[in-house]
Amino acid sequence: MTRYKMTMAYDGHLFHGFQKQPNQRTVQGTIEEALEKMTKGKRVVVHGSGRTDAGVHAKGQVIHFDYPDKAGKVIPAQNMMLAINSQMPTDIVFFESEIVDQNFHVQYSTKGKWYRYIVDQHHFTDPFNRFYTGHFPYPVNVELMREASKDLLGYHDFSSFAASGGQIVDKRRTIYYVNIDQDPDRKEIIIDFIGSGFLYNMVRIMVAALLEIGNGKRPVHDLKRVIEAKNRQEVRGTAPASGLYLYHVFYEEIPEKYRLDHKIY
Amino acid sequence: MTRYKMTMAYDGHLFHGFQKQPNQRTVQGTIEEALEKMTKGKRVVVHGSGRTDAGVHAKGQVIHFDYPDKAGKVIPAQNMMLAINSQMPTDIVFFESEIVDQNFHVQYSTKGKWYRYIVDQHHFTDPFNRFYTGHFPYPVNVELMREASKDLLGYHDFSSFAASGGQIVDKRRTIYYVNIDQDPDRKEIIIDFIGSGFLYNMVRIMVAALLEIGNGKRPVHDLKRVIEAKNRQEVRGTAPASGLYLYHVFYEEIPEKYRLDHKIY
């Protein structure tokens, strides 16, 4: 058996999320089917760094799997990637591949995750970006959003930002970095979050709350109060899945430039 | 009756082309249904500057229609556009609107058309651009394509570049301008064509031929011979619909900077 770690991008809009489910088209299911073909019927389990929901995209999802060696021969990492890519539908592509030892686990070895959210600010949805952005046509003051985002940094109980349905009891996480950019030509707002981990729907709920602040619907430092409240009812909105990208998974230490949380304590 | 001229963008990938067809989702059919709702059942015919095929996109398609005045009141052009946009699915958006006189006809008043073709050069298709580019993973020399494109400029019989099935007998057209750009970051080649008009599949056949030249499959000045031959068999390829955009329709004179055809005669 050889363990492969691979990095991939996918367009989530025609998948029912990452995780395999019966009778649904999923990312994990699609890859496992391809591997089963390649091994001529041997089952190969694909592990992901984490799930992504239906409609959510990835620019840097990471998986690992153990592939049976054939007569003691190991397939080189690049050849394995080409072989898998040629089996993939056009909404999945692998772009990095390496052989790792059995101690590496794509979920448990993570040091952090980077999510990106792209907001489309056109009055009417941009036809070419409707599957790849979340539409919010109302005016926003990005400076207010930037100020508000500082309240998310650091180690907090994020219960107010976790959709019900998750099975995780400990809702404490660290957010290391939030950055908010505006692209006036494309009428987009790009919000990056780097953290130790994220709860179910957490990024989409944070985006909804930040947009409400930018739109003047909440006071600029309301997120302090919302975090304290530990109550999901404090933020009702959830930004659409279409704008969300799993952008990068850190197996290296989070670089110092992304440790804004250090600067506030 | 008031005649409105409107400019629109659409994502063609879920439409069976512009032109209305029974039991198919088309751009024209979608707009006419919306207008019929707005007039409470009166039929309003939508005229387009020309058809686009299934999967072909528009960044600047133009339509006109005559809208019945209600009690002598004319709806201002901007209000009409907002009303229609709010009826459109998210793959269509209107962004310019004006009232024109009855002499204006969106098809017969054109002075020229601008098509853009975007080639994706990734080894495997980019998942986020698979509906919005044509995939060509083979190496190309863009300089050869630029040199070859000069042979298309001017007034020619383009029979060799017309798919069978068109009903047009006179296949003489003028190409005013061809420009080929490369975007190394996005691994894209962007090819612009401006001409007096284009035959059925003509842009996609020209793109296929230019890529064959860039790839070394044809001599650089082969298009001279192909044009002379007036035979569709000379170019078998047709680049995929997904990369093609109706980019702009000229009702003004073609600007001098786009009249490269003047420079070669």
Side-chain angles (χ1 to χ4, degrees):
Chain A
M1 295 286 235
T2 302
R3 182 161 294 184
Y4 294 87
K5 173 195 173 201
M6 287 197 188
T7 311
M8 69 193 297
Y10 49 83
D11 172 353
H13 100 269
L14 297 175
F15 287 108
H16 286 266
F18 180 85
Q19 198 184 32
K20 197 158 71 164
Q21 292 173 61
N23 307 316
Q24 300 281 22
R25 182 171 189 262
T26 64
V27 176
Q28 186 188 13
T30 302
I31 304 166
E32 287 188 356
E33 269 173 43
L35 288 168
E36 197 169 317
K37 251 193 212 170
M38 287 165 58
T39 58
K40 306 212 162 42
K42 281 188 198 131
R43 199 171 165 230
V44 177
V45 177
V46 167
H47 299 266
S49 74
R51 306 171 188 183
T52 56
D53 282 335
V56 174
H57 313 292
K59 293 269 188 180
Q61 171 69 293
V62 186
I63 62 161
H64 87 247
F65 57 85
D66 291 324
Y67 196 86
D69 302 331
K70 210 171 151 183
K73 266 200 183 165
V74 173
I75 302 170
Q78 289 307 303
N79 298 20
M80 180 59 86
M81 183 168 83
L82 284 173
I84 297 186
N85 267 340
S86 61
Q87 299 288 325
M88 285 298 110
T90 53
D91 35 6
I92 294 181
V93 71
F94 287 89
F95 58 89
E96 275 173 25
S97 175
E98 55 179 310
I99 290 172
V100 288
D101 71 43
Q102 297 283 331
N103 293 321
F104 176 85
H105 191 289
V106 78
Q107 187 178 355
Y108 307 123
S109 307
T110 60
K111 298 268 199 301
K113 279 186 183 167
W114 180 340
Y115 277 96
R116 172 167 287 185
Y117 197 94
I118 306 180
V119 180
D120 175 17
Q121 283 258 282
H122 282 95
H123 184 175
F124 293 98
T125 321
D126 176 351
F128 297 99
N129 277 316
R130 67 199 195 284
F131 300 127
Y132 309 111
T133 55
H135 189 222
F136 190 80
Y138 313 105
V140 291
N141 179 334
V142 167
E143 278 314 318
L144 291 179
M145 293 172 67
R146 286 192 182 120
E147 186 58 29
S149 71
K150 293 178 191 164
D151 294 336
L152 296 168
L153 294 173
Y155 180 67
H156 302 289
D157 182 324
F158 284 98
S159 295
S160 293
F161 297 92
S164 57
Q167 286 156 17
I168 287 159
V169 177
D170 183 355
K171 303 212 168 145
R172 289 170 298 179
R173 297 290 183 276
T174 303
I175 295 191
Y176 303 121
Y177 176 87
V178 185
N179 187 62
I180 306 178
D181 273 332
Q182 213 168 5
D183 184 334
D185 293 337
R186 297 174 62 94
K187 292 202 181 189
E188 286 176 355
I189 300 170
I190 299 106
I191 313 177
D192 288 307
F193 298 91
I194 299 176
S196 59
F198 294 90
L199 304 165
Y200 187 50
N201 276 1
M202 177 170 155
V203 177
R204 294 163 57 191
I205 298 168
M206 292 191 298
V207 168
L210 287 171
L211 288 171
E212 284 169 15
I213 288 168
N215 187 234
K217 288 270 186 333
R218 286 176 188 272
V220 61
H221 286 295
D222 199 38
L223 298 185
K224 279 191 183 183
R225 189 188 60 77
V226 170
I227 291 173
E228 286 296 318
K230 300 186 186 108
N231 178 359
R232 167 69 175 113
Q233 297 310 311
E234 290 292 336
V235 190
R236 292 224 198 81
T238 305
S242 53
L244 185 60
Y245 296 76
L246 173 54
Y247 197 71
H248 182 71
V249 183
F250 291 93
Y251 295 96
E252 68 276 27
E253 293 298 330
I254 311 286
E256 207 44 50
K257 62 179 173 179
Y258 297 136
R259 295 298 302 256
L260 296 182
D261 64 315
H262 281 181
K263 292 173 193 154
I264 58 165
Y265 291 108
Chain B
M1 294 288 235
T2 302
R3 181 161 294 184
Y4 293 87
K5 173 196 174 198
M6 287 195 188
T7 310
M8 68 193 297
Y10 50 81
D11 171 352
H13 100 269
L14 297 175
F15 288 108
H16 286 267
F18 180 84
Q19 199 184 31
K20 198 158 69 167
Q21 293 173 59
N23 307 319
Q24 300 281 22
R25 184 172 187 260
T26 66
V27 177
Q28 185 188 13
T30 302
I31 305 167
E32 287 189 355
E33 271 172 43
L35 288 168
E36 199 169 312
K37 251 194 212 169
M38 287 164 59
T39 58
K40 306 210 163 41
K42 280 187 195 133
R43 197 170 166 230
V44 177
V45 177
V46 167
H47 299 266
S49 73
R51 305 172 190 181
T52 55
D53 282 336
V56 174
H57 312 292
K59 294 269 189 181
Q61 170 69 292
V62 186
I63 62 161
H64 87 247
F65 57 85
D66 291 325
Y67 195 86
D69 302 332
K70 210 171 153 183
K73 267 200 182 163
V74 172
I75 301 170
Q78 289 306 304
N79 299 19
M80 179 61 87
M81 185 169 82
L82 284 173
I84 297 186
N85 267 341
S86 61
Q87 299 288 326
M88 286 297 109
T90 52
D91 38 4
I92 295 181
V93 70
F94 287 90
F95 57 88
E96 274 173 24
S97 175
E98 56 180 308
I99 291 172
V100 290
D101 71 41
Q102 296 283 330
N103 293 321
F104 176 85
H105 190 290
V106 79
Q107 187 178 356
Y108 306 124
S109 306
T110 60
K111 297 266 200 304
K113 278 185 184 166
W114 181 339
Y115 277 95
R116 172 166 287 185
Y117 197 94
I118 306 180
V119 180
D120 175 17
Q121 283 259 281
H122 282 96
H123 184 177
F124 293 97
T125 320
D126 176 352
F128 297 98
N129 277 317
R130 66 200 196 282
F131 300 127
Y132 309 110
T133 55
H135 189 223
F136 190 81
Y138 313 105
V140 291
N141 179 332
V142 167
E143 278 313 318
L144 291 179
M145 293 173 68
R146 286 191 182 120
E147 185 60 30
S149 71
K150 294 178 190 164
D151 294 336
L152 297 169
L153 294 173
Y155 180 69
H156 302 289
D157 182 324
F158 284 99
S159 296
S160 293
F161 297 92
S164 58
Q167 286 156 19
I168 288 158
V169 177
D170 183 354
K171 302 208 168 151
R172 289 169 299 180
R173 297 289 183 277
T174 303
I175 294 189
Y176 303 121
Y177 176 89
V178 185
N179 187 63
I180 306 177
D181 273 332
Q182 213 167 4
D183 184 334
D185 292 336
R186 296 174 61 94
K187 293 203 181 189
E188 287 177 354
I189 300 169
I190 298 107
I191 314 177
D192 287 305
F193 298 91
I194 299 175
S196 59
F198 294 89
L199 304 164
Y200 187 52
N201 275 0
M202 177 170 156
V203 177
R204 293 165 55 189
I205 298 167
M206 291 191 299
V207 168
L210 286 170
L211 288 170
E212 284 169 18
I213 288 169
N215 186 234
K217 289 271 185 333
R218 288 175 187 270
V220 61
H221 286 295
D222 199 39
L223 298 185
K224 278 190 183 182
R225 189 189 59 77
V226 170
I227 291 172
E228 286 294 317
K230 298 185 186 104
N231 178 358
R232 168 67 175 114
Q233 297 308 313
E234 290 292 337
V235 191
R236 293 222 198 81
T238 305
S242 53
L244 185 59
Y245 296 76
L246 173 53
Y247 196 71
H248 181 72
V249 183
F250 291 93
Y251 295 97
E252 67 277 27
E253 292 299 329
I254 309 285
E256 205 46 48
K257 63 178 172 180
Y258 297 136
R259 295 300 302 258
L260 295 182
D261 65 313
H262 281 180
K263 294 174 192 155
I264 58 165
Y265 290 108

